[in-house]
Structure formats: C-alpha cells, structure tokens
Amino acid sequence: MPIAASVKLGRGVSIPQPDLVNLYGCEIGDETKIGAFVEIQQGAVVGARCKVSSHTFVCDGVTIEDEVFVGHGVMFINDPHPRATTAGRLQTASDWQVVPTRVCRGASIGSGAVVLCGVTIGAGALIGAGAVVTRDVPPGATVVGVPARPVRPAGAP
C-alpha cells in the first residue's frame, strides 16, 4: 500500500495520485499537497500548507516546516558517508546514524536540487534549480550552483 497506516496525515492533505506515492511512518501537516512519485520516509516531517512536487525524495531526519515549496525531483540525503557494506557485510540501520536537516518556514527549493544532511535552510530562503546545498542557507538568502553559493544575501532587495 503506497500510503502506510503509520502515516499521520493532517486535515485537508491533498494527494491526487495516492497509488503513485510511497509514504510510511512520516507526518504530513494540514493542507499540504503531495505530488506523484514522491517518497517520504519514516521519521520525516512535512509541515502545513507545503507543496512537495513529483519525483521528490524526503528521507528520515528531514523536517520541513510550514509553507515550504519543494520542486520536482528534489533529493534530501541523511548520511554524510554512505556505504553499502561495513567490514564486508551489508550495512543495517545500526551501522549508521541519521544526520538531521531542517527547511524553515516559507523556504523554496527549486527542481532538481540536492540537500545534503546536517544543513538548515533558513526561513524564506530560495534554493535555485539544480543547486547542491552543502552548508546552511541564511533566512531570506538566494543560493544557486554546485555547491550552492549566495547570489542574493539575506535582506537584499
């Protein structure tokens, strides 16, 4: 079942194509819209009145506050040193620790962006399409590129 019983859905959540999502153990706030081909993992939180566009991956450890826009194909990462094996055996959940990431209220993340773990994207910040966010983004700043760099500092017109 694409939407597991363990998902906490807020009031008025819109998932127009529920057979085309993979949601489990996560929390989705009131009036949020989730697009097709989105995966939101256990432990992830998406706030109220957000839009999570198609083909996006939100992993464990990610907190998205209210009124955030997440473009198409955005990828969040929760492990700074991913490996398949440890000492020659496949890794299990006990072999790594989730590094939390926060997207603050009203931020916007452009299509195709990648957000590495351990960063905070400040309130009202704008992440350009295709950017790779490797460090914190101040509230209100606009960042673009690989790695993401400011093109408009916080508070600039």
Side-chain angles (χ1 to χ4, degrees), residues 2-16:
I3 302 175
S6 58
V7 174
K8 295 178 185 172
L9 292 176
R11 181 181 33 82
V13 169
S14 173
I15 305 174

Side-chain angles (χ1 to χ4, degrees), residues 14-32:
S14 173
I15 305 174
Q17 297 168 303
D19 292 338
L20 300 178
V21 298
N22 188 22
L23 310 179
Y24 53 96
C26 58
E27 186 175 327
I28 311 294
D30 296 346
E31 301 173 24
T32 285

Side-chain angles (χ1 to χ4, degrees), residues 7-16 23 26-35 38 40 45-53 58 64-70:
V7 174
K8 295 178 185 172
L9 292 176
R11 181 181 33 82
V13 169
S14 173
I15 305 174
L23 310 179
C26 58
E27 186 175 327
I28 311 294
D30 296 346
E31 301 173 24
T32 285
K33 182 175 181 180
I34 306 293
V38 168
I40 304 176
V45 176
V46 178
R49 297 171 307 284
C50 293
K51 181 176 181 189
V52 180
S53 302
V58 182
I64 297 173
E65 295 182 357
D66 298 345
E67 300 175 6
V68 168
F69 172 81
V70 180

